Amino acid sequence: LFENVGPDTVIILREMIRSAIEAYEPRAELMDVDVALSDDYYRATITIVFSLLNKEDPVTMTMLLERVR
């Protein structure tokens, strides 16, 4: 994640997250996946917006991936 980071990294992460949720969480209807890298490339903020099949209100989940030195 933290070596050779570039614009392609964001696209790859977004698609891998999207594929995993679609494959392994059938109860969720995925609305959006956003990946933002920090300026120093040591952190990635991931925001996932989804709704559960029986609920209309979207859920937003944000997590931080951080390099541990």
Side-chain angles (χ1 to χ4, degrees):
L1 173 64
F2 301 103
E3 294 180 21
N4 300 322
V5 176
D8 292 339
T9 306
V10 172
I11 295 168
I12 292 167
L13 278 172
R14 184 182 306 129
E15 289 307 312
M16 289 178 72
I17 292 166
R18 182 178 299 279
S19 294
I21 293 171
E22 288 173 350
Y24 297 109
E25 190 46 78
R27 299 168 293 180
E29 182 178 331
L30 192 58
M31 302 167 97
D32 189 33
V33 176
D34 182 56
V35 177
L37 298 174
S38 65
D39 292 335
D40 60 6
Y41 296 122
Y42 288 124
R43 287 180 283 300
T45 303
I46 299 170
T47 303
I48 302 169
V49 181
F50 64 96
S51 65
L52 298 174
L53 292 180
N54 296 332
K55 308 258 184 183
E56 291 185 25
D57 297 329
V59 177
T60 301
M61 183 166 116
T62 301
M63 63 193 80
L64 179 68
L65 293 178
E66 188 170 28
R67 178 181 176 185
V68 178
R69 297 177 197 190

